[in-house]
Amino acid sequence: LDPDRFERDLTALAAALPSEPDAEAQLRALGEVVRSKALVARTYGGAEELLAGEVIRRGHGHPLAVAGVLAELGRRAGMNVGIVAGERDHYVAHPRLTAPLLLDPRTGELIDATRVGGTLTWRCGHQVAGALLDALQPRYERVGDIERTLQVARLRCLLPFDDDSVALARRRLRMASARLN
């Protein structure tokens, strides 16, 4: 990651967002980043699809990474947005929005939250990081990059979660470490 380039790219994308007065208009403005193809969500590819710096540099990434970038762009543009998740997918949401609408990072369109399967919950930065790490580890395993697999597994163990999640993360680290034998 080139942190200076990352900051410049994020700042440039956020500066291009129009100032919108209401929550729905703010989500629509963020969605334009995806609809204009400045960021394209895709589920295939390697680990780089989950790394925010690469997503911004390349203009495409996993929907979860795109959601994270969109949320950060919104915050930098003064929008009160965050990430919510259902059973499978992550979305960008606005807590002041009166209508049950979510921004789908795959399409850039607003969707009806009542049509999303399962219960939606707000995700903190730790939870988003955990989901990204959980998706990264198998991608590194698939290409045989044991060093990065172990790095990701160690990072996952450092996140402050409940006992069951920590135990699962430690078990995944042990399994990855066992491959070195």
Side-chain angles (χ1 to χ4, degrees), residues 30-175:
L30 278 176
E32 183 57 29
V33 174
V34 176
R35 290 189 307 276
S36 71
K37 306 294 186 207
L39 285 178
V40 176
R42 60 187 210 183
T43 56
Y44 56 90
E48 67 280 352
E49 300 296 326
L50 290 151
L51 305 174
E54 290 298 309
V55 170
I56 291 172
R57 188 176 73 77
R58 296 171 181 231
H60 56 79
H62 189 277
L64 172 56
V66 170
V69 169
L70 290 172
E72 180 59 23
L73 290 174
R75 281 191 287 272
R76 286 175 183 234
M79 299 175 189
N80 183 20
V81 295
I83 296 179
V84 297
E87 292 176 17
R88 297 183 347 242
D89 298 317
H90 291 76
Y91 305 92
V92 179
H94 200 301
R96 289 192 344 240
L97 193 61
T98 55
L101 297 173
L102 303 170
L103 174 58
D104 186 341
R106 292 176 307 255
T107 64
E109 299 295 332
L110 297 185
I111 60 171
D112 184 344
T114 62
R115 298 191 187 274
V116 174
T119 302
L120 292 168
T121 57
W122 288 98
R123 299 299 166 116
C124 71
H126 294 101
Q127 291 168 312
V128 173
L132 285 165
L133 291 170
D134 288 345
L136 261 175
Q137 187 171 339
R139 289 177 187 227
Y140 283 134
E141 288 172 349
R142 187 171 50 238
V143 296
D145 191 337
I146 297 300
E147 183 178 328
R148 285 198 172 106
T149 297
L150 289 170
Q151 182 182 18
V152 166
R154 285 186 199 106
L155 285 171
R156 184 63 172 86
C157 289
L158 296 174
L159 292 173
F161 286 114
D162 60 84
D163 292 341
D164 290 340
S165 295
V166 171
L168 176 61
R170 289 182 179 151
R171 185 170 46 247
R172 290 179 76 185
L173 174 58
R174 283 192 305 275
M175 290 170 54

